Amino acid sequence: MELLSGADMIARFLADEGVEYIYGYPGGAALHIYDALFRQDAVKHVLVRHEQGATHMADGYARASGKPGVVLVTSGPGATNAVTGIATAYMDSVPMVVLCGQVMSHLIGEDAFQETDIVGVTRPIVKHSFTVRHPSEIPEVLKKAFYIASTGRPGPVVVDIPKDMTSPTERFEYVYPKKVKLRSYSPVMRGHTGQIRKAVELMRKARRPILFGGGGLVLGKAAEKFTQLAQALDFPVTTSLMGIGAYPQTDRQSLGWLGMHGSYEANMAMHSSDLVVCIGARFDDRATNNTSKFCPTAKIVHVDIDPSSIGKTVRVDVPIVGPAESVIDEMLHLLEQHKADPDHSLNDWWKQIDDWRGSRVGKLYEPAEVEATLKPQQVVEAVWEITKGQAYVVTDVGQHQMFAAQYYKFDRPNRWITSGGLGTMGFGLPAAMGVKLNYPEDEVVLFTGEGSFQMMLQELSTCQQYDIPVKIVNLNNQSLGMVRQWQDLNYKSRHAQSYMKSLPDFKKLLEAYGHVAMEVKKPEDLQPTLDKAFAIKDRVVFLDIYVDPFEHVYPMQVPQGAMRDMLLSKTERT
């Protein structure tokens, strides 16, 4: 029988659970845990410069790997600094376990030094939370936290740990729990066969069908099966922003992603379809535009592991609750049985889609001439070419995020790492670090803007300490680009607080942190600078690329319109 203190139990459990990295920042209520981590070698701790950075690092790792990211913070301000990152993970269904130190249990409720009710604060933005009541329950509580975070619809779990639960003087029996049972939590393991049959019948009869994949395909490791389904049916495929990479974007059947800044052909096809088969997306407002005008002629099949997501925003004809992979498996099996049946042709539908595609060729943007100002789209395309489409691409939030999503083509899942639901500026740098630390041999590229980058730039210090050589592409338009675009369109170009007039010299700033920085101001300098930057493998390289400050992101859906209602340029609309 092994006796361990509560703090040593936490360290041992993390090792037994296979956790390699934990991201955090020490403070009084968490010091017993920090001391326990110091006395072991299995779990490596990464010292961030702000607790929000710790949550985004864990988040980036979780999105790339599919495994829960782990965070350790102290009580009070340490825990509240993590709130934005917890909410970011919650909105995008990212598995995360956040360990929060807390004041001693007898002081809870007395407004003790650095006390905050973090369970209460985070209740709306976690999948579940626990407070440790006795040191002996730590292994079971942690096992439950990891199980809940990573099963069903994934999400963040907070574990609140009063300091006296980790006291080094009290020891209890430690046994690693191989599995746990939760009376009130049992995620669905397969879909309803009758409903799947109904869906397959609709798929076989549809004349204008479309497959719509979401982030659930990526989180549920179902992208390969989804690709098999699309190719077996020869259906056009679109995804949500979070579903990018679930189907190869360079393939003929891919229409790109849909929604507010989605592709023209994806939005047009969605609007005109007679059947939408949605797997692992939640029909978020950025994907549907006005729900009362959404897909007026379509029947909707909705597959989701979370029953509360089905029918929440749009009317659904065939609801299927279940994990994406097993539901698709069953669909493929049923389709196989009907292989000999006479099949109706989708030729007219594909001809219509190819017409939509063809009408946009050469109209997406005008590349900059020599000596002119670079277009941001050009920069993204050049990065796609130099990385051969194989990089992990992380973004912050804003115009650069949309340009990256539009012009970098993803053929694999888990390579597109972005904050979708919460739209968190500052997410990019720490998330990219979390990916690079765990996938050191892969190229990790961050697309950012000078607004987002300044929110978390202190993590450049963490990059230096732990040797995390990410590539940072700053699409510098000297403004909060997406805010300015909305002001151009809706506020007669009254640019209230959307221009930053005191930007730092990013080259000097990066060099002060010990990194490499390069500047690009002309189109003819872009390729040679990229060649030089991507030849450096062991340093952080920051590319400060000045782009056209007046460029807008198009297409852009007309607010409160249907899927097909889009602005296509500053002078053209559907």
Side-chain angles (χ1 to χ4, degrees), residues 262-556:
S263 78
Y264 172 74
E265 55 267 36
N267 286 341
M268 292 300 285
M270 195 76 164
H271 180 82
S272 306
S273 64
D274 65 359
L275 176 68
V276 175
V277 181
C278 171
I279 306 178
R282 58 187 176 87
F283 292 107
D284 154 80
D285 61 296
R286 291 288 158 121
T288 62
N289 210 351
N290 185 339
T291 52
S292 68
K293 299 176 184 176
F294 180 71
C295 299
T297 58
K299 287 199 178 302
I300 296 175
V301 173
H302 190 185
V303 181
D304 204 290
I305 199 157
D306 177 11
S308 72
S309 287
I310 296 178
K312 185 166 74 176
T313 58
V314 299
R315 167 197 54 76
V316 173
D317 297 282
V318 183
I320 303 171
V321 178
E325 192 174 32
S326 81
V327 171
I328 296 170
D329 242 345
E330 215 169 322
M331 286 177 170
L332 285 165
H333 178 66
L334 289 168
L335 287 165
E336 189 68 31
Q337 293 174 3
H338 293 290
K339 221 172 184 179
D341 293 4
D343 197 12
H344 64 264
S345 170
L346 297 178
N347 287 348
D348 290 348
W349 183 225
W350 273 113
K351 184 179 181 309
Q352 172 65 78
I353 287 167
D354 288 338
D355 286 349
W356 284 324
R357 265 186 185 144
S359 71
R360 298 302 299 153
V361 171
K363 293 185 179 179
L364 297 178
Y365 73 96
E366 290 290 330
E369 304 292 333
V370 173
E371 293 287 327
T373 310
L374 265 162
K375 296 289 184 182
Q377 302 95 320
Q378 260 178 296
V379 179
V380 177
E381 287 187 324
V383 172
W384 177 64
E385 281 169 18
I386 201 166
T387 59
K388 301 182 173 63
Q390 297 300 306
Y392 284 95
V393 172
V394 186
T395 77
D396 270 300
V397 171
Q399 283 184 322
H400 64 269
Q401 176 191 28
M402 296 296 104
F403 287 130
Q406 288 176 335
Y407 292 92
Y408 197 103
K409 300 300 176 198
F410 295 85
D411 284 342
R412 295 158 70 185
N414 301 96
R415 297 270 161 165
W416 165 248
I417 314 288
T418 198
S419 168
L422 199 67
T424 307
M425 292 174 72
F427 169 84
L429 176 59
M433 291 159 58
V435 177
K436 184 66 176 176
L437 192 63
N438 288 276
Y439 297 95
E441 301 308 312
D442 288 284
E443 197 70 79
V444 179
V445 180
L446 165 64
F447 285 102
T448 188
E450 63 284 359
S452 287
F453 185 69
Q454 290 185 90
M455 290 198 173
M456 281 275 123
L457 65 78
Q458 70 278 357
E459 299 308 329
L460 290 169
S461 174
T462 310
C463 283
Q464 183 72 344
Q465 181 174 343
Y466 295 95
D467 187 23
I468 310 174
V470 295
K471 299 284 189 303
I472 303 167
V473 179
N474 184 41
L475 298 180
N476 192 337
N477 60 8
Q478 299 100 67
S479 67
L480 301 176
M482 194 57 89
V483 172
R484 184 183 44 71
Q485 176 167 335
W486 277 80
Q487 289 170 335
D488 284 340
L489 294 170
N490 298 321
Y491 300 91
K492 298 182 179 173
S493 295
R494 293 189 295 273
H495 297 140
Q497 306 304 317
S498 52
Y499 279 96
M500 293 190 162
K501 293 183 178 169
S502 59
L503 288 172
D505 181 328
F506 284 113
K507 195 167 188 305
K508 285 181 183 170
L509 180 69
L510 268 286
E511 285 166 357
Y513 276 106
H515 304 308
V516 177
M518 302 175 186
E519 203 171 70
V520 178
K521 289 192 170 176
K522 296 177 185 168
E524 55 269 34
D525 295 337
L526 178 63
Q527 197 56 52
T529 308
L530 286 178
D531 291 340
K532 205 188 317 178
F534 280 86
I536 299 169
K537 301 294 180 191
D538 57 349
R539 305 276 302 278
V540 170
V541 183
F542 183 93
L543 289 154
D544 194 17
I545 303 178
Y546 286 77
V547 296
D548 184 347
F550 304 110
E551 191 69 4
H552 286 180
V553 183
Y554 293 111
M556 179 180 183

Side-chain angles (χ1 to χ4, degrees), residues 152 186-191 305 307 321-323:
S186 54
V188 178
M189 301 312 287
R190 59 190 304 266
I305 199 157
V321 178

Side-chain angles (χ1 to χ4, degrees), residues 30-47:
L31 283 184
H32 294 328
I33 305 170
Y34 270 91
D35 189 58
L37 288 169
F38 184 83
R39 291 182 279 102
Q40 55 84 56
D41 300 317
V43 183
K44 302 176 194 73
H45 182 278
V46 177
L47 175 65

